[in-house]
């Protein structure tokens, strides 16, 4: 017993681990001040159809720490935000900003049809106030709810379906739509596509990357596109970077794309311009 305790103590005082703990908590306190310090920025990446028409954009968050030019990317702080509850104020901030940009689109003749996709963390979506909060913002900014698409990831909502589905339906009654993000990366069954009140599925970019060379990825993507077609769900391919990927997707009947081939995420104001 004593030996075990000793080992645990040793582990706890391991300098590398201490450093990691320190780094995590200092990053957390930096992130806590990010909204007030005006360090968060919304970027937007285009969604296009097979005719090359812009049909919408996805809001992607960037964190500009201490006036630096290159932002901290979401994969490096969203998980921390999610595990520390900071995702709640951050998520609220993202939605409010995003709807203000959507309002700007709506007032532009050539942009008023564009749909805006917003990533929502499960923790944020599960807040009791989430639906009312969205309703309030829709009214405050007078945006058309039909132009709002909320992106949820399957793995994050699967355990809470009995809570999640009624909330989704409530928002759908307003006209808000849902996309299932990063599709294929979880281990859930295809039957969720039938159960969830979604209108769109986004194929994760990890499957798209090698579709033209990897037969397994090609098979997975073809199967996802086929099932979406038969369930009458829109299907978007993420991470489209080159013509051969596009060609493959086109042949399989996937007609909506997001990726560097069409445009990288850019600051929202640049997107508007
Ligand atoms: P996601 O929602 O799946 O967003 C797509 C990610 O793929 C974005 O990464 C985008 O920049 C990247 N991407 C798009 N096209 C290409 C391409 O052609 N090639 C490559 N290599 N990458 C491409 P990003 O911006 O780093 O965001 C990563 C993830 O962070 C997002 O994945 C989303 O899950 C999360 N995230 C971003 N913003 C927010 C937010 O406001 N709230 C929440 N909860 N999560 C967010
Ligand atoms: Mg997304
Ligand atoms: Mg995705
Ligand atoms: Mg993702």
């Amino acid at each position: 017993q004593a030996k075990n305790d000793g080992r645990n103590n040793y582990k706890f005082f391991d300098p590398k681990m201490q450093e990691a703990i320190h780094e995590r908590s200092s990053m957390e306190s930096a992130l806590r001040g990010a909204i007030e310090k005006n360090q968060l920025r919304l970027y937007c990446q285009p969604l296009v159809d097979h005719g090359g028409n812009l049909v919408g954009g996805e809001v992607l968050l960037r964190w500009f720490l201490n006036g630096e030019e290159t932002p901290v990317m979401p994969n490096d702080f969203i998980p921390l935000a999610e595990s520390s509850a900071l995702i709640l104020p951050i998520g609220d901030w993202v939605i409010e900003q995003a709807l203000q940009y959507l309002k700007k689109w709506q007032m532009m003749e050539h942009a008023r049809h564009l749909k805006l996709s917003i990533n929502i963390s499960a923790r944020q979506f599960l807040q009791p106030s989430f639906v009312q909060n969205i309703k309030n913002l829709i009214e405050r900014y007078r945006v058309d709810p039909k132009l709002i698409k909320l992106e949820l990831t399957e793995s994050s909502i699967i355990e809470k379906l009995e809570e999640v589905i009624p909330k989704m339906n409530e928002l759908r009654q307003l006209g808000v739509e849902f996309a299932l993000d990063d599709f294929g990366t979880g281990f859930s069954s295809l039957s969720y596509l039938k159960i969830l009140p979604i209108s769109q599925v986004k194929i994760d970019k990890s499957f798209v990357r090698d579709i033209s060379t990897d037969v397994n990825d090609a098979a997975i993507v073809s199967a996802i596109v086929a099932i979406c077609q038969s369930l009458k769900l829109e299907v978007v391919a993420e991470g489209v970077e080159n013509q051969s990927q596009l060609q493959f997707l086109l042949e399989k009947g996937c007609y909506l794309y997001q990726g560097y081939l069409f445009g990288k995420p850019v600051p929202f104001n640049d997107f508007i311009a």
Side-chain angles (χ1 to χ4, degrees):
Q1 181 64 42
K3 235 182 184 173
N4 272 342
D5 286 343
R7 212 180 274 154
N8 287 341
N9 284 342
Y10 174 74
K11 239 186 167 178
F12 184 74
F13 290 112
D14 180 325
K16 278 225 180 77
M17 200 185 227
Q18 281 291 71
E19 211 177 286
I21 290 168
H22 179 75
E23 210 174 276
R24 194 195 137 93
S25 74
S26 63
M27 191 157 169
E28 197 179 309
S29 50
L31 188 54
R32 186 161 285 126
I35 296 179
E36 275 176 33
K37 291 182 184 150
N38 218 7
Q39 293 174 338
L40 299 178
R41 291 272 180 282
L42 294 190
Y43 276 44
C44 187
Q45 185 180 31
L47 256 88
V48 303
D49 69 13
H50 63 298
N53 305 300
L54 183 64
V55 295
E58 178 177 8
V59 169
L60 295 161
L61 189 57
R62 299 289 182 263
W63 178 20
F64 289 87
L65 189 54
N66 303 326
E68 279 174 45
E69 271 175 44
T70 41
V72 186
M73 299 300 278
N75 290 337
D76 295 325
F77 68 91
I78 293 284
L80 177 67
E82 285 174 337
S83 65
S84 66
L86 280 172
I87 195 64
L88 302 177
I90 291 173
D92 285 348
W93 182 87
V94 167
I95 295 175
E96 181 155 8
Q97 293 288 311
L99 295 193
Q100 289 176 44
Y101 282 120
L102 180 59
K103 180 68 191 174
K104 288 188 187 174
W105 280 359
Q106 270 184 209
M107 297 190 312
M108 298 164 76
E109 182 64 40
H110 58 285
R112 56 168 24 122
H113 63 288
L114 299 179
K115 294 193 176 181
L116 188 60
S117 300
I118 309 171
N119 292 289
I120 305 292
S121 290
R123 187 161 185 175
Q124 186 189 355
F125 191 69
L126 289 166
Q127 280 292 100
S129 57
F130 186 82
V131 173
Q132 192 56 49
N133 186 29
I134 296 270
K135 283 186 186 168
N136 293 345
L137 291 170
I138 287 171
E139 273 178 35
R140 182 171 327 147
Y141 296 109
R142 301 184 179 287
V143 289
D144 181 354
K146 291 186 195 69
L147 300 174
I148 302 171
K149 193 159 283 175
L150 302 182
E151 298 194 356
L152 298 171
T153 58
E154 60 172 347
S155 50
S156 70
I157 58 172
I158 283 316
E159 297 136 55
K160 298 266 165 97
L161 286 184
E162 63 299 333
E163 236 176 290
V164 165
I165 292 177
K167 285 184 115 159
M168 291 174 80
N169 282 327
E170 210 180 324
L171 286 163
R172 285 229 315 182
Q173 263 153 33
L174 298 178
V176 173
E177 292 186 347
F178 287 89
L180 199 55
D181 203 358
D182 300 349
F183 190 72
T185 58
F187 292 96
S188 58
S189 113
L190 289 175
S191 62
Y192 288 118
L193 290 182
K194 204 174 61 181
I195 296 167
L196 291 169
I198 51 173
S199 61
Q200 185 182 81
V201 168
K202 301 184 82 171
I203 306 175
D204 192 69
K205 58 179 181 290
S206 61
F207 299 108
V208 174
R209 192 179 52 222
D210 300 324
I211 30 174
S212 33
T213 50
D214 182 316
V215 289
N216 296 319
D217 288 340
I220 290 167
V221 170
S222 311
I224 296 174
V225 173
I227 196 160
C228 287
Q229 279 172 348
S230 55
L231 293 174
K232 305 215 162 28
L233 293 168
E234 277 182 4
V235 58
V236 179
E238 287 187 336
V240 182
E241 295 185 356
N242 59 54
Q243 285 294 337
S244 51
Q245 291 165 336
L246 179 62
Q247 196 52 42
F248 179 94
L249 291 161
L250 210 50
E251 277 164 20
K252 298 298 172 191
C254 177
Y255 300 131
L256 291 168
Y257 322 100
Q258 194 178 337
Y260 297 167
L261 182 63
F262 302 98
K264 289 195 172 182
V266 294
F268 217 117
N269 281 323
D270 297 355
F271 191 97
I272 287 179

